[in-house]
Amino acid sequence: QVQLVESGGGLVQAGGSLRLSCVASGRSFKYYNMGWFRQAPGTEREFVAGITGTSSSTYYADSVKGRFTISRDNGKNTVYLQMNSLKPEDTAVYYCAVTDAATRQGSSWGQGTQVTVSS
């Protein structure tokens, strides 16, 4: 039942950076495992990064490891995705979701925010 709103997407040149934000409703945010996913045209939605609600442990897809950083601010009910060294292949709609840390499957999706990386 949690509502999520993503923001921060935009157009950036290759090598640039963006920070995405996802604001959640409710009082239980600090207990949620959260994640970022993305979907490019013609592809299935894929897991990008996750962060647990209990210990703030993080985990990443191999394709973004070392470039992206997920973090959270429980006082603001917000999870972030800092994206550095962006590549054209990072172009996608990015979604925030409550995430099962074991399976890396998302639920309670936000509406998404478009990230476009130009070459």
Side-chain angles (χ1 to χ4, degrees):
Q1 202 173 78
V2 61
Q3 291 182 294
L4 305 170
V5 180
E6 301 98 333
S7 63
L11 175 64
V12 65
Q13 292 190 21
S17 298
L18 286 172
R19 189 178 75 159
L20 307 183
S21 299
C22 172
V23 179
S25 65
R27 300 179 62 188
S28 299
F29 174 78
K30 63 183 177 182
Y31 302 115
Y32 296 157
N33 298 327
M34 301 297 298
W36 287 95
F37 300 75
R38 67 188 182 188
Q39 186 170 21
T43 72
E44 293 190 338
R45 184 150 45 189
E46 65 175 344
F47 169 82
V48 174
I51 184 166
T52 67
T54 55
S55 64
S56 294
S57 298
T58 60
Y59 45 101
Y60 300 91
D62 288 341
S63 59
V64 307
K65 198 171 299 181
R67 298 188 298 121
F68 292 9
T69 303
I70 188 171
S71 62
R72 66 194 298 158
D73 185 337
N74 290 335
K76 297 181 178 179
N77 265 30
T78 301
V79 61
Y80 303 96
L81 185 68
Q82 179 67 46
M83 305 185 294
N84 298 326
S85 301
L86 283 162
K87 305 174 181 179
E89 50 263 47
D90 295 318
T91 295
V93 178
Y94 283 71
Y95 299 91
C96 179
V98 178
T99 303
D100 187 298
T103 65
R104 303 187 181 185
Q105 298 297 307
S107 62
S108 300
W109 301 95
Q111 290 298 114
T113 185
Q114 176 71 49
V115 172
T116 302
V117 184
S118 65
S119 59

